Amino acid sequence: MSSTSDVFKAVLFDKDGTLFDFRGTWDAWAAGFLPVLCSGKADVLREMAVALRFDLEAGAFLHDSLVIAGTNREVSEVMARVLERTDIDALEREVSQSAAQAPLDPAVPLEPLLNALKAQGYKLGVMTNDAEAVAHAHLGKAGVAGHFDFICGSDSGFGAKPAPEPLLAFCTHVQVDPFHTVMLGDSTHDLQAARAAGMAAIGVLTGIARAAELAPHADAILNDIGALPAWLHEKSARR
């Protein structure tokens, strides 16, 4: 068994748009959930689509949608305003329960990738602005929850990206310095959090953001997380 290099010793993944392709997962979820949430009322659905920046005709979130990097709470607050509901806690639970059943579209075959990283000695984690329970549900459904040393959501008590605290909580948990940690994500929130935490910031293109949007905040841009082992090997070889 080979070991990690002295460059990086831990890898932290975002979930949506990183481990799972964003459009294949969340566009499909929204197309099914939003009409139900709006009780089949076309006018309310149109208003909801505008508020969440969801193109009803295309069945796709737009590039500036809050849903891409926002927390479940933030999304639920927007939904509550459209629905004129005051029970935001209950609405947030409804959203989380539905999101936990979202159709998953892994960005790459996850188990072989994670097995390879674990075999090389890397500590692995997930930090998502989704709810922690949803993260566990998705990773469990994908059969890879057990590969991670740390799974954290925006409601886990450490805050949400772009703040660095949840990323630093991962480092504390696995006892690896941020300097030796790489964060992969599909949004500027992910990369800004990584920079603030003192980690390497790697953008991936399996979300909605384009390379030009991510590049100013990233140390590298990869097509998907499947390119990570080669990137890690290159960094190790240059030491």
Side-chain angles (χ1 to χ4, degrees):
M1 178 186 298
S2 59
S3 61
T4 59
S5 72
D6 58 354
V7 182
F8 295 111
K9 303 178 186 301
V11 178
L12 184 60
F13 296 93
D14 170 52
K15 179 171 69 71
D16 303 314
T18 303
L19 290 172
F20 302 103
D21 181 85
F22 187 93
R23 293 214 177 278
T25 298
W26 293 108
D27 285 355
W29 169 80
F33 178 65
L34 294 183
V36 174
L37 181 67
C38 296
S39 301
K41 298 176 181 177
D43 56 337
V44 178
L45 178 59
R46 285 193 296 270
E47 186 179 353
M48 183 69 73
V50 170
L52 296 179
R53 303 292 291 150
F54 184 75
D55 185 328
L56 288 172
E57 290 188 6
F61 283 104
L62 301 176
H63 286 267
D64 57 351
S65 172
L66 169 69
V67 174
I68 296 169
T71 66
N72 270 19
R73 186 69 177 190
E74 291 169 335
V75 172
S76 298
E77 287 172 348
V78 171
M79 290 176 167
R81 286 195 291 271
V82 173
L83 298 172
E84 298 182 348
R85 288 178 56 170
T86 58
D87 55 338
I88 298 178
D89 289 345
L91 179 56
E92 186 176 5
R93 286 193 294 272
E94 290 175 32
V95 173
S96 292
Q97 289 167 0
S98 174
Q101 303 303 316
L104 300 178
D105 183 15
V108 301
L110 295 178
E111 189 164 12
L113 171 66
L114 298 174
N115 280 339
L117 293 172
K118 292 293 284 187
Q120 293 177 60
Y122 290 99
K123 298 293 185 180
L124 304 180
V126 174
M127 195 287 127
T128 175
N129 275 359
D130 203 345
E132 181 180 329
V134 177
H136 278 282
H138 286 174
L139 296 171
K141 187 186 299 185
V144 295
H147 291 68
F148 295 101
D149 303 288
F150 180 87
I151 298 173
C152 177
S154 60
D155 57 351
S156 298
F158 304 110
K161 297 172 291 191
E165 283 78 11
L167 282 66
L168 294 173
F170 166 65
C171 290
T172 298
H173 184 80
V174 299
Q175 298 183 311
V176 174
D177 189 274
F179 180 77
H180 296 292
T181 304
V182 57
M183 169 80 198
L184 291 95
D186 67 303
S187 76
T188 55
H189 273 30
D190 299 315
L191 306 180
Q192 289 165 352
R195 286 281 175 85
M199 299 177 177
I202 307 301
V204 292
L205 301 178
T206 42
I208 293 179
R210 303 178 179 91
E213 181 182 350
L214 299 177
H217 309 280
D219 296 301
I221 302 291
L222 306 179
N223 284 333
D224 55 50
I225 57 175
L228 176 63
W231 187 86
L232 290 169
H233 177 74
E234 178 184 1
K235 292 299 176 183
S236 175
R238 288 181 176 180
R239 277 302 262 212

